[in-house]
DNA sequence: CCGTATCCATTCCGATACTG
DNA sequence: CAGTATCGGAATGGATACGG
């Protein structure tokens, strides 16, 4: 998005997704939007992005329909940035990244922030790719039709 | 990885993941590794990356333990690049990106390549974030402990 | 507080050329 | 085929300054 026009009209869903959100800053913004951040300044603090960078990324996300601007909830004259339905659909992406990082990038001594089920307060089990009949799939269990 | 040292030791699992794979090219390489690509030239063709870019990205992925180099399976003098266990754990990430792109970036007329269960030949249902007791969670159903 | 605009050093990208 | 080296143009990132 911000950078790459990709190679024209690629046929691959992953590449198209990455065009919109395949960027360090954009993903961090989305992560924080899921954590309830809405304001420019809040994103700035929580992502650590410079203001101009934040501006371009937010604009890109809005252009791609991932976020939208709404009048500030506190009555101030500003806008807030909230995830659209399309943006909310990124929840599994964020969770998948979260769990992968949690599993592979924390030393035994470190304690990563844990994602919990709000109701039962239990940690969330690892995301699994399931077939229609509920069987758990590994990548060898999937196939592409047609190839691209 | 390739670019960003991140802001030191961030505590967020998502940020740590992105440090390793939060890059357009790296993710495309990983996507293709899941599709069975192993050779330098194969990645070059399927990702469209320039050779020098591909070199740095592959090296980065190896450094992060996502891929490893193994002797070529066909007896040639070269190496092949294969996903490690850590890399294979990215399967949900790739599937999540795949499904999001499939859902939101294809016009009614276009037909994206469809991901199917190899055994039953049925399309794979959307990834869902499930609680320990099997309830489907939306982002509002999750909480972070402790915050970061 | 919310952005936009500008400047500059750094990095990245892509093409090409070159080696085994 | 599998890389490494290099080069110029472009984009990025960070700081700062400025205006609503």
């Amino acid at each position: 998005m911000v950078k790459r026009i990709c190679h024209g009209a690629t046929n691959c869903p992953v590449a198209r997704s990455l065009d919109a959100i395949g960027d360090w800053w954009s993903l961090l913004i989305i992560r924080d939007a899921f954590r309830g951040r809405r304001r420019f300044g809040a994103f700035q603090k929580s992502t650590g992005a410079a203001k101009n960078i934040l501006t371009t990324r937010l604009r890109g996300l809005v252009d791609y329909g991932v976020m939208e601007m709404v009048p500030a909830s506190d009555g101030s004259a500003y806008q807030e940035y909230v995830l659209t339905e399309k943006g909310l659909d990124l929840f599994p992406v964020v969770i998948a990244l979260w769990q992968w990082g949690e599993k592979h990038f924390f030393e035994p001594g470190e304690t990563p922030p844990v994602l919990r089920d709000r109701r039962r307060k239990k940690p969330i089990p690892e995301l699994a790719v399931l077939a229609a009949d509920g069987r758990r799939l590994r990548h060898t269990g999937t196939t592409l039709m047609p190839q691209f």
Side-chain angles (χ1 to χ4, degrees), chain A:
Chain A
M1 71 125 213
V2 170
K3 48 169 113 173
R4 195 176 324 279
I5 306 300
C6 193
H7 334 104
T10 178
N11 194 14
C12 170
V14 176
R16 295 197 186 186
S17 292
L18 292 178
D19 234 21
I21 58 157
D23 169 88
W24 168 271
W25 297 118
S26 302
L27 250 343
L28 286 194
I29 291 168
I30 290 163
R31 171 200 69 180
D32 290 332
F34 276 115
R35 294 197 296 147
R37 303 287 193 278
R38 306 165 62 92
R39 295 292 280 259
F40 188 92
F43 287 115
Q44 201 193 339
K45 264 200 285 287
S46 62
T47 64
K51 288 196 287 187
N52 48 356
I53 308 273
L54 192 54
T55 299
T56 64
R57 293 306 190 276
L58 285 172
R59 193 180 348 253
L61 289 172
V62 169
D63 288 347
Y64 269 102
V66 174
M67 305 189 81
E68 61 186 339
M69 301 174 71
V70 301
S73 48
D74 64 356
S76 63
Y78 306 114
Q79 306 279 358
E80 296 185 346
Y81 299 86
V82 300
L83 293 167
T84 59
E85 274 300 316
K86 183 173 180 175
L88 290 172
D89 281 342
L90 284 167
F91 191 49
V93 173
V94 174
I95 296 300
L97 285 169
W98 183 288
Q99 293 183 334
W100 190 67
E102 197 174 26
K103 179 170 178 181
H104 292 287
F105 292 107
F106 283 81
E107 303 298 326
E110 290 182 299
T111 47
V114 176
L115 210 47
R116 290 172 191 273
D117 165 8
R118 182 183 297 279
R119 179 119 59 105
R120 303 262 195 273
K121 304 288 185 252
K122 295 198 173 173
I124 297 180
E126 256 189 80
L127 261 188
V129 179
L130 301 179
D133 55 18
R135 286 165 22 253
R136 180 171 180 152
L137 294 177
R138 303 188 41 135
H139 73 110
T140 51
T142 61
T143 184
L144 230 48
M145 300 168 62
Q147 281 288 337
F148 67 96

